[in-house]
Amino acid sequence: MSHGFYIGLSYAVSALIVAVLIGWVWWDGKARQKELAELERAGVRRRSSAPAGEAQ
Amino acid sequence: MMALLLRDLKLSVRAGGGALIGVLFFMTVVAVIPFGVGPDLNLLSRIGPAIVWIGALLSALLGLDRLFQTEREDGSLDLILMQEHPLVLTVLVKCLAHWLANCLPLVIASPLLGLFMNMSEVAIGAVALTLLVGSPALTFIGAVGAAVAVALPRGGLLVSILVLPLAVPVLIFGVSASYAAVEDPAPFMPPFLILSAITLFFAVIGPLGAALALRNAGD
Amino acid sequence: MTESLAITKFSDLANPARFLSLTGRIIPWLAGLTLCLFAIGLYLSFTTEGDYQQGDTVRIMYVHVPAAWLSMMCYTVMALSAIGTLVWRHPLADVSHKAAAPLGAAFTLIALATGSLWGKPMWGTWWVWDARLTSVFILFLMYLGLIALNRAMDDPSKAARVSAVFILVGFVNIPIIKFSVEWWNTLHQPASVVRLDGPTIDPEFLTPLLVMAVAFTLLFFTLHLMAMRNEIWRRRVGAQRRLAARMASREA
């Protein structure tokens, strides 16, 4: 008994979800980097070059 | 603490009958079911305990997001946060007041709805008893949701979405204890005792989580 | 004295800039390793023999079981980060559990979808209210609720703290939910569904399963690091925009 359809479909669904996930993370990263670059170009620098205490 | 309990009770009784609305919602939900599944009395008596439990669960969640919301609006939440009593205790008392005002009426109303559902006397008694024991757990677990709702610009529906999955164990043991009372082979005590254990457990976890969330939700 | 030393070490670790440079170096290696392991795992899972009882459908297990494991591991990672948020106020912990929630939801979705596709040929229906499927479904709902909760709040650090409380409450509840769902299942269903699980698994299946599990775990950590990096960038963009707006209003 071979159920090629179900096996193929389940692998395809998993691949699709993983691909969407990777794509989303990748695209999100690219978009954020672009925004940062734009801000940089607009002349907005980080408050300080000292590394500590940015988020808190 | 007694004063807080009495104050909360008075407020909820006076504030336009929140308890009454809860009971009304409960009755409406249960009354709508026969229109969905048909007026077959045998079927209704079979699914009756489950319907009454689900109705009680939904209406217990209905008023919960207001648990801390009014305090936040009139600013007394800050007073509660700053006072010397441990916050966990305050939250516990507020939960008890909410339960007395909103869930106890549901428990009292449930036998009447059991009659509508054509349930046997034993089943009606079992449902009322399990609701009496199980509904505090719903209030306690909902208190966490209510405390989270304080931080939200618009709470409401999201709180129910967050709380309902956590309420699944209460529902399971409440309904299975009610069924066990009617159907012969299954013993009544084990699910009932587990239900009581869950209530006691949530009586610890709920106020703790709610107090933690309240502290963090404040600015 | 030692305590303050420990605190400085922690704040070193919390330093987003250092974290960014570290992830920048690690991510390519992790991604490469994940890819290799997936290649090996997929090759193994399609070349090993089928089970005499379940036939070729046993191949679904090689995706289904690792995804289900990961859906639980992801929640554990989130719970640990939530402790980090609440106890140490660690900014990276905030970022970590926020970034993990969508990943967990995705892996849970994979587990559910493949479980359903496995159920159709094996049990004859798409969905069985089986104890495992049901509790994974509840877990999925919890993930979605947490994502919605994170989205609903504007202030990121407040959102992180509030959702950390909820993650921990949920984490305490998961064993209870699991236990109650199993009880409910044995009550309502004669145990007719015999599945290939438990410790009696054949070593024939074990090798591809383990390789796939490790591959999925590495995939999770790669994506988690990338998502955390994105989140840090997002907060930095927000902070700089606010700063720019403040400077503009000062000039005007």
Side-chain angles (χ1 to χ4, degrees):
Chain A
M1 53 191 225
S2 164
H3 298 277
F5 171 69
Y6 296 107
I7 299 168
L9 198 60
S10 66
Y11 274 83
V13 166
S14 317
L16 184 74
I17 295 174
V18 169
V20 167
L21 200 61
I22 293 174
W24 171 70
V25 171
W26 186 265
W27 174 85
D28 199 33
K30 285 282 167 233
R32 295 293 88 76
Q33 268 181 318
K34 219 174 85 186
E35 281 176 359
L36 273 177
E38 269 170 18
L39 281 168
E40 190 83 14
R41 240 181 295 126
V44 186
R45 302 262 172 237
R46 297 193 59 199
R47 237 171 311 175
S48 58
S49 49
E54 198 229 356
Q56 191 51 265
Chain B
M1 287 292 111
M2 235 13 233
L4 182 68
L5 183 70
L6 287 178
R7 169 186 166 273
D8 266 23
L9 270 180
K10 265 187 210 151
L11 270 180
S12 57
V13 169
R14 229 179 268 160
L20 197 65
I21 290 183
V23 173
L24 267 180
F25 181 76
F26 185 30
M27 292 178 80
T28 319
V29 167
V30 174
V32 161
I33 301 291
F35 297 109
V37 299
D40 179 4
L41 281 181
N42 288 329
L43 178 67
L44 282 182
S45 75
R46 199 153 52 81
I47 62 173
I51 301 296
V52 174
W53 249 97
I54 291 175
L57 174 66
L58 292 180
S59 36
L61 286 180
L62 184 69
L64 258 174
D65 61 319
R66 306 296 297 167
L67 184 55
F68 301 110
Q69 201 70 272
T70 40
E71 264 78 6
R72 181 182 164 74
E73 278 158 13
D74 66 9
S76 52
L77 187 67
D78 292 330
L79 286 181
I80 291 176
L81 282 176
M82 276 188 291
Q83 71 183 357
E84 284 167 20
H85 292 291
L87 183 58
V88 179
L89 218 59
T90 316
V91 171
L92 186 68
V93 169
K94 279 189 74 68
C95 287
L96 284 180
H98 184 268
W99 182 77
L100 282 176
N102 290 305
C103 291
L104 203 56
L106 296 181
V107 177
I108 294 168
S110 67
L112 180 67
L113 293 168
L115 285 180
F116 279 140
M117 288 283 127
N118 190 33
M119 282 150 58
S120 67
E121 287 79 10
V122 183
I124 290 174
V127 167
L129 190 62
T130 49
L131 270 180
L132 182 69
V133 172
S135 57
L138 299 179
T139 309
F140 290 132
I141 198 70
V144 184
V148 166
V150 167
L152 292 173
R154 354 160 244 294
L157 209 52
L158 186 54
V159 174
S160 307
I161 294 172
L162 287 170
V163 168
L164 269 177
L166 302 182
V168 166
V170 183
L171 184 65
I172 288 177
F173 286 108
V175 173
S176 46
S178 325
Y179 275 121
V182 193
E183 287 162 9
D184 235 359
F188 173 70
M189 276 325 257
F192 184 71
L193 288 181
I194 295 174
L195 183 68
S196 329
I198 288 179
T199 300
L200 290 178
F201 181 71
F202 279 156
V204 178
I205 293 293
L208 266 179
L212 202 58
L214 277 180
R215 284 221 187 283
N216 284 306
D219 316 297
Chain C
M1 186 63 206
T2 48
E3 198 178 329
S4 68
L5 196 68
I7 287 170
T8 41
K9 272 202 177 145
F10 253 120
S11 56
D12 262 11
L13 225 153
N15 173 357
R18 194 160 303 174
F19 176 79
L20 283 181
S21 72
L22 192 68
T23 49
R25 255 177 292 147
I26 289 179
I27 283 174
W29 289 100
L30 264 182
L33 203 57
T34 311
L35 214 62
C36 291
L37 274 174
F38 262 115
I40 299 171
L42 285 175
Y43 173 76
L44 278 179
S45 55
F46 277 107
T47 47
T48 45
E49 304 241 325
D51 184 38
Y52 70 95
Q53 205 180 1
Q54 304 214 9
D56 279 340
T57 48
V58 76
R59 301 196 198 295
I60 295 179
M61 180 181 76
Y62 303 137
V63 232
H64 173 72
V65 174
W69 280 341
L70 263 187
S71 65
M72 284 179 273
M73 195 196 75
C74 178
Y75 205 91
T76 314
V77 167
M78 283 166 69
L80 290 178
S81 316
I83 293 175
T85 296
L86 290 176
V87 177
W88 295 294
R89 296 285 157 98
H90 200 305
L92 271 184
D94 299 7
V95 172
S96 163
H97 66 72
K98 189 178 175 193
L103 301 180
F107 283 116
T108 317
L109 186 62
I110 291 179
L112 282 174
T114 51
S116 166
L117 281 166
W118 198 3
K120 181 64 182 166
M122 285 295 103
W123 307 328
T125 64
W126 293 105
W127 183 262
V128 180
W129 287 95
D130 163 74
R132 286 165 186 244
L133 277 176
T134 313
S135 36
V136 170
F137 186 60
I138 294 174
L139 187 65
F140 184 57
L141 290 180
M142 284 167 67
Y143 275 126
L144 292 187
L146 277 168
I147 295 173
L149 180 64
N150 252 325
R151 289 268 159 117
M153 276 180 280
D154 304 326
D155 177 10
S157 90
K158 193 161 92 180
R161 276 176 287 149
V162 171
S163 49
V165 173
F166 218 90
I167 289 169
L168 285 182
V169 171
F171 192 65
V172 172
N173 266 293
I174 283 178
I176 303 179
I177 292 176
K178 188 92 175 61
F179 165 70
S180 60
V181 167
E182 255 158 29
W183 163 287
W184 166 81
N185 197 48
T186 51
L187 199 70
H188 284 257
Q189 213 175 14
S192 62
V193 180
V194 180
R195 291 180 59 178
L196 180 104
D197 52 17
T200 57
I201 189 163
D202 201 296
E204 173 85 37
F205 308 129
L206 201 59
T207 331
L209 183 61
L210 281 182
V211 174
M212 285 298 269
V214 175
F216 265 99
T217 312
L218 283 180
L219 175 69
F220 167 74
F221 279 116
T222 314
L223 286 175
H224 188 207
L225 283 180
M226 285 172 75
M228 277 173 78
R229 192 168 63 166
N230 292 345
E231 186 60 30
I232 291 174
W233 279 335
R234 180 175 302 128
R235 286 184 188 188
R236 194 170 279 179
V237 167
Q240 292 192 3
R241 286 224 171 110
R242 271 197 300 280
L243 191 70
R246 209 179 305 146
M247 293 209 330
S249 70
R250 203 178 294 157
E251 273 166 28

